[in-house]
Amino acid sequence: MQLWWRDGKPGDRLALGFDVETAGTYEVLAVFTKAPDYGVHQIAVNGVVVGEPMDFYHEDVIVTDEIPLGVFTLAAGENRFEVTIHDRNPLAVAAYMFGLDYLRLSPQ
């Protein structure tokens, strides 16, 4: 199973809560889907932008390896993972979709 975001357009944002049992410093890693109709998205954790927008276009439907998003100080309880539709790869179908397989937190 995955989170599958459809029908978005550039500028739209999806915010998801994820729970952390113990406050602390964690590396946040994610596995995403890439496909012909997936967009270029900006990722943020608790409002902190993660690098440059990520291009999730691929000519076939694939699942990525774990991608490190960075090291963050996370509070106990709910934290936020945010995705903003930025654009699309010129080769992609103009659907701007996004797929998240999972987040993994690694205590630091």
Side-chain angles (χ1 to χ4, degrees), residues 1-6 12-20 28-32 41-48 56 69 74-75 77-84 98-105:
M1 293 183 68
Q2 70 164 330
L3 175 134
W4 185 24
W5 183 21
R6 304 176 307 170
D12 287 352
R13 185 175 62 122
L14 174 69
L16 305 168
F18 65 94
D19 288 328
V20 174
V28 178
L29 303 108
V31 172
F32 301 101
H41 303 289
Q42 182 65 65
I43 307 296
V45 175
N46 287 339
V48 177
F56 294 102
L69 301 179
L74 303 178
E78 187 173 279
N79 290 266
R80 292 176 67 91
F81 175 84
E82 300 170 46
V83 181
T84 302
F98 173 80
L100 174 67
D101 192 18
Y102 67 83
L103 291 178
R104 184 170 70 84
L105 307 179

